[in-house]
Amino acid sequence: VSLGYVDGRVVPLAEATVPLTDRGYLLGDGLFETMRAQNGHVFRLEEHAARLRHGLHVLGLDEGLITAFRDAVGALVTAADPGELYLRVHVTTGPFRDVPGMDPEPAVTGLCRPLAGYPGSAYAGLRLVTSAHRKDRRSPLSTVKHMSYLPHVLARRQAIADGADDALLLNEAGRAAEATTANVIAFRDGVAYAPGPGEGALEGVTRGVLLATIAEAAELRFSLPLDVLAEAEEAVLTNTSGGAVPVTRLDEAAIGDGRPGPWAGRLRDAYLKAVEEETR
Amino acid sequence: VSLGYVDGRVVPLAEATVPLTDRGYLLGDGLFETMRAQNGHVFRLEEHAARLRHGLHVLGLDEGLITAFRDAVGALVTAADPGELYLRVHVTTGPFRDVPGMDPEPAVTGLCRPLAGYPGSAYAGLRLVTSAHRKDRRSPLSTVKHMSYLPHVLARRQAIADGADDALLLNEAGRAAEATTANVIAFRDGVAYAPGPGEGALEGVTRGVLLATIAEAAELRFSLPLDVLAEAEEAVLTNTSGGAVPVTRLDEAAIGDGRPGPWAGRLRDAYLKAVEEETR
């Protein structure tokens, strides 16, 4: 069953509302985290809290909101069924007021529902198209998970209209940054190219989990030039919903031999094992 | 009195809510228009509708939503007091659904309240600071008035924290694009420099009204290089709330002699006269 969290209470999701005047609605002026849970345990809650803390800092909001975030997570997980859950918790700057500079009264909301993940067919390999939208590394928002998501939404919508699965966003320097809801990692000649915050990508929690596995067998580099991606043997997208999902095409070209490679399977297994160990 | 418009009905603003699962809230996936009205007449409604139509096109939404937009405007203006009103109407892509590519069920909401405008002290001259955030002319969203407004919100918040009134955003080529909620126009040697959509600025309705007045006495150019702005005799911000408001400082430097000039007064008068004539 799907649940919402508003005004400190858990309600059926279909009944959860927010004020029209919430700045999260009017202006996209807020932050969010998406998480997965099982048996009442949220996977890597501390990493999500740390990323949220970074966002609070960039938005000039009080770090104490981390407590309200934990309360929302706890209330949703406690009220939900013990199966695999998807959680999304938001912190917005609260009601719109006309006086500039007035202290915000932040609001915390959330929702949870059964984890859907990627369809099984995704693991046969995704096709990405390069988006015209770019991440700008100079913006402090480029590494913040915030509610003004329309550029990414539009990039994804365009990719799907073009018959692809997702869009690859470049940074303003023209190197790969991320997909619209996932980090990207490519492999070539024993080196893993995993663009992170320094390249304008969000610091994905799943990416962090998988880098530990990758580091056992490959050298790590934290940028992904397009010429490297064009010659990669393999590439994956990583996020909370999918773990590691193989990417087998970029625009009109195959990546590697156009089929999922050994890294994709290895990382998917490593991710599911990490989730299982932490949430069983 | 302040009113909200949700589900096709007018309610007190404090009681107006939207679903937590609305994509306008979750993702900033929507459009808005801000308008002014008086005596039941909305100033330049057709220009606002035209800009919204452009946004609907970019977001891949049905043009027929213009009718729902007009309905919202009409319901709010009819229900409100006849004095000077500020209106804000939103079109979002509606409830979040998990299936990518599924047709959206867009939602239209709105609010109105007495027009506040800029404080009288603003007409003594605003100070802008140059923001690190840039508009990217390559993004189709750069000319769309959309709900993912956080970059502008943050630029404004930073400007106010720095003791200024607003931020000046440059485009990716380093020329002036716009302020966070206003267009910018500068004057030098009988030429008006008014960056518009071609420079990554929103096509302001007020800007359009004032360009007609400016064209009577100055040559128009549609970009504003920073070296021109540094040598300008005068500059103004233009938007629905303020009409034309003088800018007298940029970062640490005075613009012109650091006092409001003749264009500011002339444009403010021309704007108020246009509003009066259309809405009396």
Side-chain angles (χ1 to χ4, degrees), chain B residues 101-188:
Chain B
M102 209 173 152
D103 281 344
E105 288 176 22
V108 177
T109 67
L111 62 87
C112 71
R113 49 182 169 75
L115 184 72
Y118 280 75
S121 60
Y123 296 90
L126 302 177
R127 178 180 162 222
L128 303 190
V129 289
T130 307
S131 174
H133 170 64
R134 302 222 174 180
K135 297 274 302 219
D136 189 337
R137 293 173 301 165
R138 294 165 299 195
S139 166
L141 286 173
S142 69
T143 57
V144 171
K145 199 166 176 84
H146 61 74
M147 292 167 77
S148 281
Y149 220 76
L150 183 54
H152 283 56
V153 168
L154 212 59
R156 165 90 72 120
R157 205 173 287 158
Q158 186 62 51
I160 289 170
D162 291 347
D165 299 290
D166 202 351
L168 177 70
L169 306 179
L170 312 183
N171 63 27
E172 89 292 346
R175 294 187 295 272
E178 64 189 5
T180 68
T181 58
N183 287 111
V184 58
I185 306 175
F187 300 87
R188 190 189 70 171

Side-chain angles (χ1 to χ4, degrees), chain A residues 168 175-179 182-197 199 201 207 210-211 214-215 217-238 247 255 263 267:
Chain A
L168 177 70
R175 295 188 293 273
E178 63 190 4
N183 287 111
V184 59
I185 306 175
F187 301 86
R188 190 188 70 169
D189 293 339
V191 180
Y193 298 83
E199 288 292 276
R207 172 180 177 273
L210 296 178
L211 289 186
I214 294 169
E219 180 193 339
L220 282 175
R221 292 188 198 162
F222 298 112
S223 75
L224 175 50
L226 289 186
D227 57 344
V228 170
L229 183 53
E231 295 171 358
E233 296 133 20
E234 201 178 334
V236 295
L237 295 189
T238 72
V247 178
I255 291 180
W263 273 112
L267 293 177

Side-chain angles (χ1 to χ4, degrees), chain B residues 43 267-280:
Chain B
F43 183 60
L267 294 177
R268 187 183 181 191
D269 291 346
Y271 180 68
L272 292 176
K273 187 171 165 225
V275 170
E276 195 57 38
E277 284 181 356
E278 191 178 322
T279 64
R280 74 171 149 220

